[in-house]
Amino acid sequence: MLSMVPHKKREFVTLRSWHKQDNLTVIMATSVNHPDVTFKDGTEAAELATRYVLESLSSTTTRLTFLLRHDLRGRSTDYYHTSYGPYCASSVCRIQKSFLISAADTAC
């Protein structure tokens, strides 16, 4: 089976913000153009929209909804079916760890 040539690195310039109201927290991210940024070694990719919606259900339970729209410029559908799931899982683990008091309390 022939292998595809590896893709160049994808580079993002991302603006993140969050909003908290009662038991709901929304973390938002999107790509921005910045005049001081030059892409030296990769392909400029676009984070069109990313939303993490965290809803506190109890003192120990939170529901996470993850919405994503990326343009990675050149990825195949096989990539999204095989490799992107673990990437998303690691992103969710990082979010979970950021809310924990002690890193020893995490299951990730």
Side-chain angles (χ1 to χ4, degrees):
M1 185 162 131
L2 296 176
S3 176
M4 289 180 54
V5 176
H7 290 282
K8 288 184 178 180
K9 293 188 306 186
R10 269 94 175 146
E11 298 184 3
F12 296 87
V13 178
T14 304
L15 175 67
R16 291 185 183 94
S17 64
W18 62 91
H19 177 74
K20 187 171 184 175
Q21 183 176 354
D22 299 328
N23 66 337
L24 190 69
T25 301
V26 179
I27 303 169
M28 300 152 287
T30 190
S31 288
V32 295
N33 292 322
H34 194 282
D36 295 338
V37 174
T38 56
F39 296 99
K40 299 175 185 171
D41 206 18
T43 300
E44 180 182 0
E47 186 170 353
L48 302 173
T50 300
R51 304 291 184 267
Y52 298 93
V53 181
L54 297 105
E55 182 181 2
S56 178
L57 303 176
S58 70
S59 62
T60 59
T61 307
T62 299
R63 177 184 299 146
L64 171 68
T65 304
F66 178 56
L67 307 166
L68 172 69
R69 186 168 175 230
H70 276 177
D71 180 4
L72 297 178
R73 314 252 166 96
R75 295 286 189 191
S76 70
T77 54
D78 288 340
Y79 168 79
Y80 291 103
H81 291 141
T82 59
S83 301
Y84 202 64
Y87 169 77
C88 289
S90 68
S91 296
V92 169
C93 270
R94 285 194 302 273
I95 291 170
Q96 179 187 22
K97 288 178 182 178
S98 73
F99 285 95
L100 296 174
I101 296 170
S102 169
D105 296 337
T106 183
C108 294

